Every structure is written in C-alpha cells, then in structure tokens.
Amino acid sequence: MLQLAQNLGRLGDENAFTVLARAQALAAEGRDIINLGIGQPDFPTPAHIVEAAVKALRDGHHGYTPAAGIPKLRQAVSADISRRLDVAVDPDSVVIVPGGKVTMFFAVMMFAEAGREIIYPDPGFPIYKSLISYSPATPVALPIREENGFAFSADELLARITPKTSLIILNTPANPTGGVTPLEEIDKLVRGLERWPDVAILADEIYGQITFDGLRHASLLQYPQLRDRVILLDGWSKTYAMTGWRMGYGVWPNPLVEHVRRLATNCHSCVNAPTQWAGIAALEGPQDCVRDMTAAFDERRTFIASALNAIPGMRCVLPKGAFYAFPNVSGTGWNERTLAKALLEEAGIAVIAGTDFGDAGKGFLRLSSANSLENIARAVDRIRVFVGERKLSGQDAVA
Ligand code: PLP
C-alpha cells in the first residue's frame, strides 16, 4: 500500500476547470454550448505581445533565466507599478512566477504552521481555502456579503484576527463576485491592522485594472505603514489576456525575497524566457488594449446584471470590477448546484455554482462575462426560459 501524505486528501480543486472540460466535451458532441464558466478573457493576447515572444525565441532566448525573473522584466514591473499606483517599488522585491497562483502558494507555505490561522474571503477564489487546508494552518472564513455590494468589511475582518493569525488574504476587485472594496473601508482596515503588527497580508489584486464607473483601484501597496508585511499578487493573465502563458508576479517585503527565490529555485527554476520577454512588451507597450478590454467588460456587466434582474427569482448586484456577475438565484427555488448542472446539461450554458467558491456562495451562481455580448444575450435568454419553464423536481430544489 502506498503511503500517501494525508494532507493530499485536504487539497481542494477549482471546479471551473471541470465545468470547462464538460462544456468542451458537450460542444465536441455537436451541442451548442455558451461558456460563461471559465474566468479568462475571450480576447486574444494583443499582437505586439505575441510578437515579442516570437522575437525572443528567434533571438535565442532558450535557456534558464534568474529564478526571480529577468532583471529587465522586474524593472518593467516596478516602473508599471509606479506609473499606475504612484508607489516606488524596488525591482529586487519583484519575483516573477508561473501565474498568479504561485505567489499565493508560496505565501501560504511561508506563513502556515500548525496552530496558526489564515483568514480568506468566502465566497472567494477556491484555491485560497484549498491551499490553507492543504497546509498545517487553520482556514478562517471572512464572509463577503451581497448586502455590502460584495465589498469586504474591515470590522468583520478585524474581529477575526487573533494572536494565532499569521496571514490574511484579501482580493479586490474580487472573484467570484465582481465586488470592489471602497477606499474608506481599506483605510479603516489599515488603521485596525496597526494593532496586529505581526500579521502579513496577501493582497490579490490580479483584477486591479478592471474596474468600472470611474472607480480607481486602491492598492494595499499604497500604505507605507504596511510595506514590511504586504505581499502584492498580480500578473498578466487577466489584464493582458495571457492566462495560457502562465506568468504572474509578487511584490514581497524585502526580507522575504530570498525565501521566495529559494522556493522558486526548488519548484520551477524560472518562468520560460520568451514569456518573460512578452511580459516586458505588455508593460512597456501601448496600454489601449487594457482600456479596450475593460470597456467591453463594462458594457457586458451592465447588460448581464440588468438582464438577470429581469428574471423572476433572480437578483444581481451590479459588478464594480473584474469580469464576473454573481446573481442570487435562491428566489427561483433551485439549489445553485443542481441549477448550474441542469443549465449546462439541458440548456447548454456553462456557469459555476456559488458554493464552488465557499459555503457563503450558497444560493448564487457565477457568470463570467468573458464572452461576446451577443452570446451573453443568448445565454441569459436561455436561462430565463429554462428557469421559467423547467419544472423543479424535489431533488433540484433549495435544500
Ligand atoms: N487570483 C484570482 C482572484 C483569480 O481569479 C485568479 C484566476 O482566476 C488567479 C489569482 C490566478 O491567476 P493565474 O491564472 O495568473 O494563476
């Protein structure tokens, strides 16, 4: 009998990938499937970024790079942050990794120990809880509430910190809700954190450039009093439509960088070289691609929220950032899991159940607006017809 580590059983998953595989299998059978499941922009990576990778390959960038990333790329990240957030970042504190997830993984591994607690948003990106559960630390859920427009509450967060807390994970703009936490709430949190100087914060700001209604993203990196304990997670996946390239970055407090570099060396050695050159082109090239994609997401989220609000039994907060809508579907009488499954199998619409993002997602669905307006309109129409016409059997209903 193989002696597998017990914690493997506690490692979670990301159901969006399972739904994607099922949606693709149904489409391969010839079914007309509209995918509002997976969280990736439906745009191709802008051409000048692709060309930079091709050129890097042609120029012979085929070998290992420094574990923390090509110096020119770390400098480009630092310059980009200073341009966008007006914060000076030492390029040496930037570590390039294969996707935003890796910064998350390293942060949790660095702060998790038996007897310690890590606070994470619920509903939230499912990998947060999965990683904490896999680690020896205890996950502590911070509820993210619909009535609060899906912003997190500083008071609720501060009330969950104890002397055992080693790390807090925050995400704004947020997946799966599209919520953006306002500046005043973040100010309040930062004031409260003064009482807890030993608690580190992982600020997942991967959707930081996708905000609407003229809202400016407030970054935790902008608070000098937190600089020795904030880890910024960001990357190229969402901003530049580069999910498949697998690259992200962390900005770490300087004393932690050496640990991250060693973790990277042990784990993946470095991100592949051509992708890093593409990353430089993304940050140093024209930024109208980011503005254009955000404008498209803006148009779609307004449409999707109002179309969902017109379906009896559904209500949807207007998302303020990212590219998700998180409608409350409890008024339809459906359990969110069976509804998500039935929508895919019977109506050909891929969506994700709210509970795939945590227990507090009960009664909600997540719809990604990373599809054309035309497809979104067709999808929401099918949802309306399905919910209106399909008879609920006992097992489909709200538990
Ligand atoms: N953080 C959040 C909140 C996300 O939604 C995602 C991806 O969906 C990630 C991090 C991971 O991004 P990447 O694909 O760069 O690993």
Side-chain angles (χ1 to χ4, degrees), residues 15-38 40 340-341 343-352 371 382:
N15 201 29
F17 284 99
T18 316
V19 173
L20 177 66
R22 180 68 189 144
Q24 286 171 339
L26 289 172
E29 286 169 16
R31 294 270 309 275
D32 174 23
I33 304 293
I34 306 174
N35 198 337
L36 305 185
I38 195 80
Q40 67 178 341
K341 193 159 187 294
L343 281 173
L344 179 56
E345 301 293 333
E346 298 176 41
I349 310 295
V351 297
I352 314 287
N371 208 323
R382 277 197 217 168

Side-chain angles (χ1 to χ4, degrees), residues 14 17 39-40 97-102 104 124-128 171-176 204-207 233-238 242-244 246-249 323-324 366:
E14 197 180 339
F17 284 99
Q40 67 178 341
V97 281
K101 270 181 182 166
V102 181
M104 208 179 284
F125 187 52
I127 301 304
Y128 303 143
N171 175 218
T172 176
N175 178 9
D204 182 343
E205 301 182 5
I206 202 154
Y207 297 100
L233 181 163
D234 204 337
W236 290 259
S237 297
K238 317 289 176 173
M242 291 177 71
T243 51
R246 305 313 301 141
M247 184 166 64
Y249 65 81
F323 42 73
Y324 307 106
R366 188 193 78 170

Side-chain angles (χ1 to χ4, degrees), residues 63-70 96-98 264-265 267-273 276:
Y64 294 125
T65 77
I70 296 173
I96 311 298
V97 281
T265 305
C267 176
H268 53 263
S269 298
C270 63
V271 172
N272 74 81
Q276 294 193 52

Side-chain angles (χ1 to χ4, degrees), residues 63-359:
Y64 294 125
T65 77
I70 296 173
K72 191 168 160 43
L73 177 57
R74 299 169 79 193
Q75 275 154 16
V77 169
S78 150
D80 175 62
I81 292 176
S82 114
R83 174 175 59 81
R84 286 190 295 112
L85 304 176
D86 200 19
V87 173
V89 164
D90 177 0
D92 288 343
S93 64
V94 176
V95 181
I96 311 298
V97 281
K101 270 181 182 166
V102 181
T103 297
M104 208 179 284
F105 190 78
F106 287 173
V108 172
M109 292 309 131
M110 219 180 269
F111 288 96
E113 232 165 41
R116 292 193 184 159
E117 294 173 352
I118 300 182
I119 303 177
Y120 70 98
D122 179 0
F125 187 52
I127 301 304
Y128 303 143
K129 185 178 181 195
S130 166
L131 288 179
I132 306 165
S133 307
Y134 180 64
S135 85
T138 305
V140 174
L142 168 70
I144 305 295
R145 301 186 191 280
E146 181 188 21
E147 59 270 27
N148 212 9
F150 296 121
F152 63 75
S153 144
D155 286 336
E156 284 196 273
L157 174 51
L158 292 165
R160 279 166 177 75
I161 302 180
T162 74
K164 292 182 185 166
T165 310
S166 57
L167 179 69
I168 298 168
I169 303 179
L170 295 174
N171 175 218
T172 176
N175 178 9
T177 59
V180 173
T181 302
L183 184 61
E184 315 80 70
E185 204 62 21
I186 296 182
D187 283 346
K188 192 175 182 188
L189 172 67
V190 173
R191 282 195 300 276
L193 283 172
E194 279 168 24
R195 286 202 299 123
W196 302 100
D198 300 330
V199 174
I201 304 117
L202 174 66
D204 182 343
E205 301 182 5
I206 202 154
Y207 297 100
Q209 293 195 62
I210 309 176
T211 56
F212 313 120
D213 300 331
L215 265 180
R216 270 185 76 83
H217 166 63
S219 172
L220 280 174
L221 212 55
Q222 289 166 313
Y223 294 85
Q225 62 273 52
L226 291 185
R227 279 303 285 278
D228 58 349
R229 53 192 173 120
V230 164
I231 301 154
L232 175 79
L233 181 163
D234 204 337
W236 290 259
S237 297
K238 317 289 176 173
T239 319
Y240 297 99
M242 291 177 71
T243 51
W245 295 68
R246 305 313 301 141
M247 184 166 64
Y249 65 81
V251 177
W252 296 79
N254 270 330
L256 300 186
V257 173
E258 180 50 20
H259 300 301
V260 192
R261 193 198 56 71
R262 272 184 306 125
L263 279 165
T265 305
N266 277 267
C267 176
H268 53 263
S269 298
C270 63
V271 172
N272 74 81
T275 292
Q276 294 193 52
W277 286 98
I280 296 170
L283 298 178
E284 293 185 344
Q287 299 300 304
D288 38 339
C289 50
V290 180
R291 285 188 287 275
D292 291 350
M293 284 190 260
T294 304
F297 292 138
D298 189 3
E299 192 183 10
R300 295 168 188 180
R301 59 111 202 192
T302 319
F303 174 83
I304 213 167
S306 68
L308 289 170
N309 276 322
I311 299 178
M314 291 199 185
R315 60 168 191 258
C316 183
V317 169
L318 183 63
K320 293 201 168 63
F323 42 73
Y324 307 106
F326 204 61
N328 185 325
V329 299
S330 51
T332 62
W334 280 83
N335 166 291
E336 75 290 336
R337 263 184 195 286
T338 42
L339 180 56
K341 193 159 187 294
L343 281 173
L344 179 56
E345 301 293 333
E346 298 176 41
I349 310 295
V351 297
I352 314 287
T355 33
D356 282 330
F357 302 93
D359 295 342

